[in-house]
Amino acid sequence: MKKTIVALMLVSFLAAGYGCANKAQQGAGIGALAGATIGALTFNNKVSGAAIGAGVGLLMGYIIGNEWDKHDEKQVQNALETGKSDVAHSWTNPDTGRSYSATPSAPYVQEDRVYRDVVISENGPDGDKIMAKAYRDSNGEWRIKQ
């Protein structure tokens, strides 16, 4: 009974934090949960199996989620660097199949930095829209400032 309650609490915690996390964190949470389940089912010692599985799943999920973030970040960087003002730059993430767009505004100078506002949207009926501010750093790369 205690194991069921703990499992339900863990699932509830992961589900509640899912919307607030980035893709690497989401992948880590899902990977840990899946790894713990597989480990508990395959090892003779259920507790050790769950712990080992959770650790491996956490690491693998984080790595995969982080790569998804990098691909999308690169596309936003490209839109900020080469995109025309108020024109959407669209792409599809090859790992997730989800499509996104980034629409940068005209550049402006503030606090001795070049800035561009950008609207990043997940395309589709339930897509989210994020409004962010980006600036060019000393290395010439665009950084999102929220």
Side-chain angles (χ1 to χ4, degrees):
M1 182 67 177
K2 286 183 182 180
K3 291 180 184 178
T4 304
I5 293 172
V6 171
L8 288 173
M9 288 176 59
L10 178 62
V11 170
S12 299
F13 173 74
L14 290 172
Y18 185 77
C20 301
N22 64 26
K23 291 177 187 168
Q25 293 165 338
Q26 290 171 358
I30 292 168
L33 184 60
T37 302
I38 293 168
L41 293 173
T42 57
F43 279 69
N44 287 336
N45 184 333
K46 303 298 181 197
V47 175
S48 295
I52 292 168
V56 172
L58 178 99
L59 180 61
M60 295 304 295
Y62 181 84
I63 290 169
I64 292 167
N66 191 39
E67 288 305 312
W68 290 341
D69 279 343
K70 286 180 183 178
H71 175 79
D72 296 331
E73 182 180 349
K74 186 175 180 180
Q75 295 299 319
V76 172
Q77 294 277 335
N78 186 38
L80 289 164
E81 185 63 32
T82 63
K84 293 182 181 181
S85 299
D86 302 320
V87 176
H89 168 77
S90 298
W91 71 94
T92 300
N93 185 304
D95 295 317
T96 65
R98 292 186 175 166
S99 61
Y100 303 92
S101 63
T103 308
S105 68
Y108 59 93
V109 177
Q110 183 180 8
E111 302 168 1
D112 295 328
R113 287 185 171 159
V114 176
Y115 282 87
R116 286 185 94 172
D117 296 329
V118 61
V119 177
I120 304 166
S121 304
E122 181 179 358
N123 301 329
D126 297 328
D128 291 328
K129 195 177 276 193
I130 299 169
M131 298 171 71
K133 182 184 279 195
Y135 67 92
R136 189 184 298 275
D137 69 10
S138 59
N139 295 328
E141 294 184 32
W142 289 96
R143 302 285 178 203
I144 300 289
K145 176 182 177 181
Q146 295 185 337

